[in-house]
Amino acid sequence: MRLKPSAFSYRRPTSVNEVFSLLREYAGDAKIIAGGQSLVPAMNLRLATPKMLVDLGGIPALSELRVSESGYLYAGAMVTHGRFLSDPLVLRDWPMIGKVLPHVAHEAIRTRGTLGGSLCHGDPAAEWPALCMLLDARMTLCGLEGKREVAAHEFSLGVYETAVREGELLEKVCFPPFDTEWRWGCCEVSRRQGDFALAGAMVGLRLRGGVLIDARLVVFGVEDKPRRMDAELSHLLGQPPSISGFSRAGLFAAMNVSPRADLHASADFRQDLVIVCVERALWDAAGTEFSGVAR
């Protein structure tokens, strides 16, 4: 087995315009590298054989992480997973990011891997595409014809397929603010800590006076892309959290997915995992004060 990449040229541009020039010059033969945690292994196995590698690490604007005056979080495509976990403002105002990112691979990979790299890789078992979908994020894509915005639920198109067109790159992701009535939970199952999820669920619950007034659900790692499934939680609204309600939600979600089968898990096994992940994610969001509620 080959463990070395084929010959390639390397450039580290300092502006987005330079990136586009290189993509145009090496049309079809250039690859953009962000953190390199997915692309480099593929190159070593010669599953990817670019003639030109364009490194985005030299463009400062793509590494920007800031909160706007209106309370929106803007994250450049080159912000690493680890940087999100070390930012106290992000962890305070977007606690779901802090819940999910420890599940992303291992610490060494979180140090190098980036938001944009994960999103554009398009793995259906990756956490970032599902997390962006749950949080109603919007992606800014830029290309020679200008910029455009894509909602998170329209970004993932299939296995390793996204809305990024030829000659475009992901510039930044915008996360809206959430009030303190929202609570967040997640659960994923993998064979080993740090492996991609065989199945996972992320939920948001909005509670007021102990009653659920809004709920959202994303299931990932099960189909060819993550799926928002808020309708499967609609029976919970207007009620306090309950064991029976959360159990039904897991069953409803499992009934409405079309699981894929691969060498890691069968379709039936993934469907069973959806029940478990949804129910546990809901309890994670509800919190321990609801652990003793009536059935």
Side-chain angles (χ1 to χ4, degrees):
M1 179 181 294
R2 294 181 182 273
L3 293 176
K4 292 184 178 180
S6 58
F8 63 90
S9 299
Y10 170 86
R11 296 288 186 276
R12 186 180 170 91
T14 57
S15 71
V16 171
N17 286 336
E18 287 182 64
V19 174
F20 294 142
S21 295
L22 288 166
L23 293 179
R24 184 168 56 243
E25 181 181 352
Y26 292 87
D29 289 321
K31 280 282 189 182
I32 289 175
I33 184 169
Q37 301 306 290
S38 298
L39 178 58
V40 170
M43 289 175 62
N44 286 340
L45 293 171
R46 303 209 177 185
L47 298 174
T49 56
K51 293 181 179 178
M52 169 57 69
L53 207 56
V54 183
D55 188 347
L56 300 183
I59 306 174
L62 298 182
S63 296
E64 186 178 46
L65 183 64
R66 65 181 179 87
V67 177
S68 69
E69 292 183 0
S70 54
Y72 286 77
L73 175 65
Y74 288 90
M78 290 297 291
V79 177
T80 64
H81 315 311
R83 190 169 163 204
F84 283 100
L85 288 171
S86 64
D87 190 301
L89 195 59
V90 171
L91 297 180
R92 186 193 71 188
D93 294 341
W94 289 269
M96 187 56 172
I97 293 178
K99 274 181 173 284
V100 170
L101 289 200
H103 293 283
V104 176
H106 306 281
E107 185 174 359
I109 290 176
R110 292 194 292 269
T111 301
R112 293 288 300 170
T114 62
L115 166 65
S118 177
L119 287 172
C120 293
H121 185 54
D123 193 309
E127 290 84 3
W128 267 120
L131 180 56
C132 288
M133 192 178 289
L134 183 78
L135 299 181
D136 285 338
R138 296 193 66 84
M139 288 69 166
T140 298
L141 307 176
C142 58
L144 293 172
E145 298 180 359
K147 296 184 180 183
R148 63 188 181 101
E149 279 198 352
V150 177
H153 69 273
E154 298 175 333
F155 187 80
S156 297
L157 302 180
V159 179
Y160 306 131
E161 185 181 4
T162 71
V164 181
R165 298 169 183 163
E166 186 71 28
E168 282 187 328
L169 63 86
L170 175 62
E171 181 182 52
K172 61 187 174 185
V173 180
C174 174
F175 299 89
F178 291 89
D179 60 47
T180 55
E181 291 179 325
W182 280 98
R183 303 181 182 206
W184 308 96
C186 65
C187 176
E188 68 174 64
V189 175
S190 58
R191 295 198 177 277
R192 297 174 302 177
Q193 176 66 34
D195 283 1
F196 280 113
L198 300 176
M202 301 181 188
V203 301
L205 300 178
R206 195 178 188 192
L207 289 117
R208 185 177 296 167
V211 172
L212 290 165
I213 61 171
D214 201 356
R216 52 180 65 181
L217 165 67
V218 174
V219 170
F220 68 102
V222 178
E223 300 178 323
D224 288 347
K225 59 182 180 179
R227 176 135 68 105
R228 186 83 173 254
M229 305 184 74
D230 296 1
E232 280 66 25
L233 304 185
S234 60
H235 66 282
L236 300 174
L237 302 184
Q239 307 291 330
S242 68
I243 294 173
S244 61
F246 287 178
S247 296
R248 287 169 62 198
L251 289 171
F252 291 162
M255 289 168 56
N256 289 292
V257 295
S258 300
R260 58 194 174 89
D262 56 27
L263 59 86
H264 301 293
S266 68
D268 287 343
F269 184 46
R270 280 196 166 94
Q271 193 162 37
D272 289 342
L273 289 179
V274 169
I275 300 173
V276 175
C277 288
V278 170
E279 187 172 353
R280 289 184 180 179
L282 285 165
W283 281 116
D284 183 33
T288 55
E289 64 265 42
F290 293 102
S291 60
V293 298
R295 293 178 182 270

